[in-house]
Amino acid sequence: MNLTAGQELPELMKHPTTRQLVQYAGAQGDFYEIHYDQAYAQGVGLPGVILHGLLKAAFLGQLVTDWLGDRGTLKAFEVSYRGIDVPGRPYRCRGRVTMVEGDRVELEVWGEDPDGQRTTLGSATVEMKK
């Protein structure tokens, strides 16, 4: 595969639900009430329950690994959270190649709310198979 800087990754659309947040809380052990209790979340100034940051990171990780497949190995991955996302609203995962140097490929990834606001920013480094 011929990779070049600027190449877009196929986007991944997620449709998170409150049920998914409860399932994720159980699997990950993050039972902070802002992720499943509407009244509590609103009581601390949020619009309602919000997605776990690490769930959004997992969605972006899936974007990268779906694109990569068995053509290489994910070597580094990091994200930062810049906004909140809520269940019942689509979460769009996007990315692009920022650098290709031999077998090493750098990626920029991000998650968007339905208004196009980038609520999660990240980067990944992959090593392509020879």
Side-chain angles (χ1 to χ4, degrees):
M1 174 179 223
N2 190 15
L3 297 174
T4 58
Q7 181 178 344
E8 300 274 330
L9 277 62
E11 77 176 36
L12 174 65
M13 185 67 78
K14 298 304 245 180
H15 299 278
T17 64
T18 303
R19 177 186 177 103
Q20 183 178 27
L21 298 185
V22 171
Q23 291 171 319
Y24 184 79
Q28 201 237 356
D30 180 352
F31 294 103
Y32 187 23
E33 290 85 350
I34 63 171
H35 300 301
Y36 63 86
D37 185 324
Q38 292 286 358
Y40 181 88
Q42 291 169 342
V44 296
L46 295 169
V49 297
I50 64 172
L51 273 61
H52 297 78
L54 288 175
L55 179 59
K56 298 192 303 180
F59 291 159
L60 290 172
Q62 180 186 354
L63 170 78
V64 173
T65 58
D66 283 358
W67 170 79
L68 184 60
D70 62 359
R71 298 175 299 149
T73 305
L74 177 61
K75 293 294 190 177
F77 179 74
E78 63 180 42
V79 300
S80 64
Y81 309 114
R82 304 299 172 98
I84 61 171
D85 294 281
V86 298
R89 296 189 76 204
Y91 184 73
R92 180 185 315 258
C93 302
R94 301 185 65 197
R96 73 170 59 97
V97 175
T98 57
M99 186 195 74
V100 180
E101 189 175 278
D103 298 331
R104 181 179 155 166
V105 178
E106 299 285 335
L107 305 170
E108 170 190 25
V109 296
W110 65 92
E112 295 179 356
D113 67 15
D115 301 320
Q117 297 297 310
R118 293 184 181 191
T119 60
T120 310
L121 304 176
S123 63
T125 302
V126 299
E127 184 178 304
M128 306 303 287
K129 290 182 181 176
K130 296 181 185 202

